[in-house]
Amino acid sequence: MDGGDVAGRLVRPFTLTGGRTRPSRADFTLITMVTTVEPQPVEAARPQPEHTRILRLCTEPVAVAELAARLDFPVSVVVIMLCDLLEAGRITVRPPHHVTCTTPDLDLLQKVRDGLGRL
């Protein structure tokens, strides 16, 4: 990789976000699930190519972290673009479910341990 390519990759995320460095909303975590709205709103402006890529990847629910990995963009950039899509009504988001910790069933754990000991 030559120096020009590195410089190009540093400029591109800045360009994708229109110079924004912070998301306009706090709806997104790494495990927030994102899904494309079907049908897409007709009154919304035509999405940029990168936004269109996100929409294609989100036809099935996908986590923000997975989107960033598939797009090879920093998570912060993906979140800013997801904010644009959410505000345009093009995606829906589902926050992670909160899991309550309960006391483990010690009897069940004992049976699992005993079963593994027999292997």
Side-chain angles (χ1 to χ4, degrees), residues 5-22 50 71-78 80-81 84:
D5 186 40
V6 173
R9 287 186 54 84
L10 292 175
V11 172
R12 191 159 191 244
F14 179 82
T15 305
L16 292 174
T17 63
R20 295 169 290 162
T21 59
R22 299 196 189 284
E50 291 80 9
L71 295 166
D72 196 28
F73 292 151
V75 172
S76 58
V77 171
V78 172
I80 291 170
M81 292 192 300
D84 295 342

Side-chain angles (χ1 to χ4, degrees), residues 2-114:
D2 63 70
D5 186 40
V6 173
R9 287 186 54 84
L10 292 175
V11 172
R12 191 159 191 244
F14 179 82
T15 305
L16 292 174
T17 63
R20 295 169 290 162
T21 59
R22 299 196 189 284
S24 58
R25 311 172 61 106
D27 298 273
F28 300 97
T29 67
L30 289 175
I31 57 175
T32 298
M33 299 302 287
V34 181
T35 310
T36 302
V37 169
E38 290 297 335
Q40 285 285 293
V42 285
E43 68 278 354
R46 184 173 177 209
Q48 297 297 320
E50 291 80 9
H51 289 100
T52 301
R53 283 182 63 201
I54 291 172
L55 293 172
R56 274 193 231 116
L57 290 170
C58 296
T59 56
E60 297 290 326
V62 62
V64 171
E66 186 173 345
L67 272 176
R70 288 183 181 180
L71 295 166
D72 196 28
F73 292 151
V75 172
S76 58
V77 171
V78 172
V79 167
I80 291 170
M81 292 192 300
L82 288 172
C83 287
D84 295 342
L85 292 170
L86 182 62
E87 290 167 1
R90 294 185 173 276
I91 61 170
T92 60
V93 296
R94 191 179 75 222
H97 294 293
H98 294 287
V99 177
T100 56
C101 293
T102 59
T103 305
D105 182 348
L106 295 178
D107 185 48
L108 175 63
L109 291 174
Q110 180 70 35
K111 288 178 184 176
V112 169
R113 187 188 75 175
D114 294 344

